[in-house]
Amino acid sequence: MNYTFQSFNFRGKKRLKPFYDVTASIAGEEYSHIEVVSYAINLLLTGTTKRGFDPEPGPLNESVNARISRHFLSSGQASLPMDSMGDWWTGQNVFSSGNLKLDLLHNFFLECGARANKMRVYEMVTDPTAREMVGFLLVRGGLHVVAYARALEVLTGVAVTKLVPVPDLSNKAFKETRKYEENGVHRKLYTFSKEDYQTAGLIFNGPHPEDGQPLEVIFGSPEGYPMPDLEEEPQLNSPGEDGIDPEMFADIAKKLGIKI
């Protein structure tokens, strides 16, 4: 939301368009990160209670020991917009000062802090789903650190990269990151649009501060992956509708010219 509102509120866009293009591109990617974290949480929660329609045996009794029981009480055993302590997300956390230097500096340190937290989360979990998700985000978050550092260097002339790594930018200790870095994912900024944000490369360029390989701007989106098909959880009445007639859907789809 920081980057989204900073892009919505950006003034002097014509003169400073490269900075807008970088911020907007990263904002677009962060939405995909919300999605990937949500699915990782959903996969981790799948199977943690006993499936069935009978409430008598207490199919949710193990959830009373859960660190955050809202996943079961307020959701269908799935992700919610809250932090690791169960505090809800709030717009009070959005930083959009209108001052380009201040916003970029805030974003730089925000990404550094997020990176430190991801490292700690990695050390807290051993589940392969969680570590795969964190490994990917370590690679992409590290790229965002570099992107905002480059933006500050171009804007101010200060060698911000001397502050990098803050913390250590290297992902070598995390095996899940290696395949991504071997494919150059740590060096590619995606714009998520083939037509827009064409000047992002005026800022995101030069050598990567760790391996010296060239930074790249990719106009468009990376290749996606099929979303997991989450199983029903009848003990939570999720999704909670048993009277659906598949023949009715097929008939309506046929009339609309939709193949299902």
Side-chain angles (χ1 to χ4, degrees), residues 53 232 237 239-249:
F53 291 96
E232 298 182 39
N237 199 28
E241 181 52 66
D242 301 316
I244 295 297
D245 182 359
E247 293 184 3
M248 176 191 70
F249 273 123

Side-chain angles (χ1 to χ4, degrees), residues 19-37:
F19 299 97
Y20 165 78
D21 285 357
V22 167
T23 302
S25 296
I26 296 176
E29 178 168 4
E30 294 293 359
Y31 282 98
S32 71
H33 290 181
I34 295 172
E35 183 179 36
V36 75
V37 171

Side-chain angles (χ1 to χ4, degrees), residues 148-162:
Y148 285 125
R150 287 288 301 129
L152 283 164
E153 288 175 354
V154 172
L155 183 65
T156 67
V158 175
V160 179
T161 50
K162 290 185 177 179

Side-chain angles (χ1 to χ4, degrees), residues 146 150 153-154 161 186-188 200-217:
V146 174
R150 287 288 301 129
E153 288 175 354
V154 172
T161 50
H186 64 303
R187 298 183 286 104
K188 298 175 182 178
L202 295 178
I203 289 175
F204 195 75
N205 57 56
H208 189 279
E210 184 184 12
D211 62 15
Q213 296 297 307
L215 302 175
E216 302 177 58
V217 174

Side-chain angles (χ1 to χ4, degrees), residues 26-98:
I26 296 176
E29 178 168 4
E30 294 293 359
Y31 282 98
S32 71
H33 290 181
I34 295 172
E35 183 179 36
V36 75
V37 171
S38 292
Y39 271 107
I41 291 170
N42 294 343
L43 291 171
L44 291 170
L45 288 169
T46 296
T48 55
T49 60
K50 186 176 180 180
R51 286 201 182 103
F53 291 96
D54 185 4
E56 186 61 28
L60 302 182
N61 59 4
E62 287 299 319
S63 65
V64 299
N65 299 317
R67 186 166 180 271
I68 301 178
S69 58
R70 283 189 179 132
H71 291 300
F72 307 92
L73 292 171
S74 306
S75 177
Q77 202 164 303
S79 61
L80 290 166
M82 59 188 182
D83 66 16
S84 62
M85 302 304 292
D87 295 325
W88 299 107
W89 291 357
T90 168
Q92 288 180 314
N93 295 326
V94 174
F95 187 91
S96 179
S97 73

